[in-house]
Amino acid sequence: MHFRGILLSLLLFIVFSGATPLSGQQRILSVTIDGSINPASAKYLHDAIEEAQQMGMSAVLLRLNTPGGLLQSTREIVRDFLESPLPVIVYVAPGGSQAASAGAFITMAAHVAAMAPGTNIGAAHPVTIAEGQSNIADSSNVPLSKATNDAAAFARSIAEERGRNRDWAEASVRQSAAITETEALRLNVIDLVARDEKDLLAQLEGRRVAVRGDTITLSLIDAEIVQRDMSFQQELLDVLSDPNIAYILLMLGMYGLFFELYNPGAIFPGVVGGICLILAFYSMNTLPVNYAGLALILFGVILFILEVKIVSHGLLSVGGVVSLFLGSIMLIDTQPGLEFLEISTTVILAVTLCSAAFFLFVVGKGIAAQRKKPTTGSEGLRGEIGTVLEDLDPEGAVFVHGERWKARCTSATVPAGARVTVHGMAGFVLIVEPTDDTQYSA
């Protein structure tokens, strides 16, 4: 019995010792942000950290390339990083990428901050996105001065928490300081420079990091990297944050509603226009919209619609093109540092030219068809020249438009063979008069 117990214990030891390497395999949840920081990217990272914890991951790796974004979304991301139960590694990569503006805060908030060769970080000075406001923090611009002081304190607190260079962190806000990866490493802004992810994990081997008060030794050199992409909802919100998409949705919404009002009961243009307009307003909620530009766009569309109603020989359409183009250029009031919020000139030209082509050619052809002289019915017979088949005294028969018609002439008696002009129609009887070059007795 004693021998059997020893044997059973030995078998259990072999089984569990053999299972230990598999169960102890390290895994890293990898996420990527390649664009602006917005509510969608903040939700993406928040969900990724929660999912990594639930799946028993060893760390979260963020590949970052961003020109900046909204400060509120940045604060949410930084808060999640500071409260994360897992080590968060931010890797600014690949070469040519940047961690500008909001990206600098996010990188410094990571437990491990790394950059690839040929990347840069910094220029975190806050900029206003309100219409007509200056981005110079002085005594005349109290709101921006407050925002700058707040962002500088935010950067210092992050640097202190992670043991990084607080002086440079503040300079990146107040002086828009920006540095390369080698300068960042020398100034203790980041922890290491790595050529790729394999090199990054190798350099992290044995590094000790503080996670919510506990010290963790990283051992990720053979870790499995699991990629996590944005959900459909997050991708949709991220796409809607693109100013080009917002602009296109705005134009589709306006045209849809105008066409519905012009042709009541069409339904489809109104439904599509309403949906597009609501989505455009959602997107523009986070964009620096210039209302003068919006008014010019609206005025341009109105001029196009008026071209359908008023004979202006194209002047209204030309005015609509000019108004639409200028309004589109002015729609997003970008400031230095917010160039990623600009609407592409290519998109503006494409929308303007398509609008002009539609109203000048397609609608123009429709108007020409409406104004064309009728060729059928009573309106089509008015003004036609016919030949009298039977004396009109006052009624008889005439030959008009290849057909025999009963006709009446009340002003004179017209003999057969004479020519008459159709002036109208009473039921199925043509009202005719002698042609101008013919005189007959009354």
Side-chain angles (χ1 to χ4, degrees):
M1 187 69 178
H2 179 67
F3 176 76
R4 292 176 61 186
I6 295 175
L7 182 60
L8 180 60
S9 300
L10 182 61
L11 290 174
L12 291 174
F13 174 77
I14 293 174
V15 170
F16 282 107
S17 63
T20 300
L22 180 61
S23 61
Q25 183 180 9
Q26 304 293 308
R27 293 193 302 164
I28 301 174
L29 188 65
S30 176
V31 291
T32 302
I33 291 183
D34 188 4
S36 64
I37 303 301
N38 51 55
S41 53
K43 184 69 166 58
Y44 171 48
L45 293 179
H46 177 81
D47 292 348
I49 292 175
E50 285 190 346
E51 183 178 317
Q53 182 184 12
Q54 294 171 0
M55 296 175 63
M57 298 285 183
S58 302
V60 176
L61 172 62
L62 168 61
R63 290 176 63 92
L64 181 64
N65 176 29
T66 177
L70 300 177
L71 185 57
Q72 180 59 38
S73 299
T74 303
R75 285 186 176 275
E76 294 175 6
I77 294 173
V78 169
R79 181 175 63 247
D80 287 335
F81 282 11
L82 296 179
E83 295 296 323
S84 173
L86 302 174
V88 176
I89 305 162
V90 171
Y91 182 36
V92 183
S97 299
Q98 61 178 338
S101 191
F105 293 102
I106 294 172
T107 303
M108 291 189 296
H111 296 91
V112 178
M115 297 176 68
T119 55
N120 63 278
I121 184 173
H125 186 282
V127 291
T128 60
I129 62 173
E131 178 187 354
Q133 288 190 4
S134 169
N135 279 301
I136 301 176
D138 54 25
S139 58
S140 64
N141 195 339
V142 176
L144 184 58
S145 296
K146 287 183 176 181
T148 301
N149 293 334
D150 180 65
F154 184 42
R156 287 198 310 271
S157 66
I158 296 173
E160 289 177 357
E161 176 67 20
R162 296 304 189 205
R164 309 194 195 283
N165 189 330
R166 54 174 288 176
D167 292 333
W168 182 88
E170 183 172 359
S172 70
V173 174
R174 297 192 181 279
Q175 303 170 20
S176 296
I179 52 178
T180 65
E181 81 285 354
T182 54
E183 293 171 325
L185 182 62
R186 178 173 56 83
L187 294 174
N188 189 32
V189 175
I190 62 173
D191 300 304
L192 52 93
V193 175
R195 296 185 305 275
D196 49 36
E197 288 185 356
K198 184 178 181 180
D199 182 31
L200 172 64
L201 298 183
Q203 293 190 52
L204 290 177
E205 187 68 18
R207 178 180 288 271
R208 297 168 64 85
V209 296
V211 179
R212 294 208 297 193
D214 296 329
T215 301
I216 297 178
T217 301
L218 300 179
S219 180
L220 306 172
I221 192 168
D222 295 322
E224 175 190 1
I225 298 179
V226 179
Q227 181 66 38
R228 185 193 189 280
D229 297 323
M230 282 188 174
S231 65
F232 174 76
Q233 179 186 20
Q234 292 164 353
E235 287 184 349
L236 178 61
L237 295 178
D238 188 51
V239 168
L240 290 178
S241 298
D242 188 327
N244 295 297
I245 300 299
Y247 172 65
I248 293 174
L249 288 173
L250 176 67
M251 298 307 303
L252 290 176
M254 284 187 175
Y255 285 141
L257 291 183
F258 272 116
F259 291 151
E260 180 64 31
L261 294 174
Y262 182 66
N263 297 294
I267 300 176
F268 180 74
V271 172
V272 173
I275 294 173
C276 290
L277 208 57
I278 292 173
L279 292 176
F281 288 155
Y282 169 83
S283 181
M284 290 183 175
N285 184 50
T286 58
L287 296 175
V289 177
N290 185 327
Y291 292 103
L294 185 61
L296 278 172
I297 292 176
L298 182 61
F299 182 64
V301 175
I302 292 175
L303 290 179
F304 283 137
I305 300 299
L306 288 178
E307 181 67 46
V308 179
K309 297 288 187 179
I310 302 173
V311 180
S312 68
H313 304 289
L315 291 179
L316 288 175
S317 293
V318 172
V321 169
V322 174
S323 181
L324 178 59
F325 179 76
L326 293 178
S328 301
I329 293 293
M330 297 167 55
L331 181 61
I332 304 298
D333 188 16
T334 56
Q335 302 287 349
L338 287 175
E339 288 81 6
F340 61 92
L341 294 178
E342 291 181 349
I343 300 175
S344 169
T345 304
T346 302
V347 174
I348 292 175
L349 288 175
V351 170
T352 303
L353 291 177
C354 287
S355 299
F358 179 80
F359 283 97
L360 290 177
F361 295 100
V362 179
V363 176
K365 292 294 184 181
I367 295 173
Q370 292 177 1
R371 294 172 180 170
K372 186 177 180 181
K373 181 182 177 181
T375 58
T376 59
S378 60
E379 293 297 327
L381 291 173
R382 189 184 297 273
E384 291 291 327
I385 304 296
T387 304
V388 178
L389 298 178
E390 298 177 358
D391 293 348
L392 300 181
D393 187 22
E395 291 188 356
V398 297
F399 187 78
V400 179
H401 229 258
E403 297 176 328
R404 179 187 176 95
W405 287 86
K406 186 176 181 180
R408 179 188 304 123
C409 180
T410 58
S411 62
T413 299
V414 184
R419 294 192 305 164
V420 291
T421 302
V422 179
H423 285 266
M425 192 172 181
F428 291 99
V429 178
L430 298 182
I431 306 302
V432 299
E433 295 291 338
T435 55
D436 296 338
D437 56 352
T438 306
Q439 299 293 329
Y440 300 105
S441 60

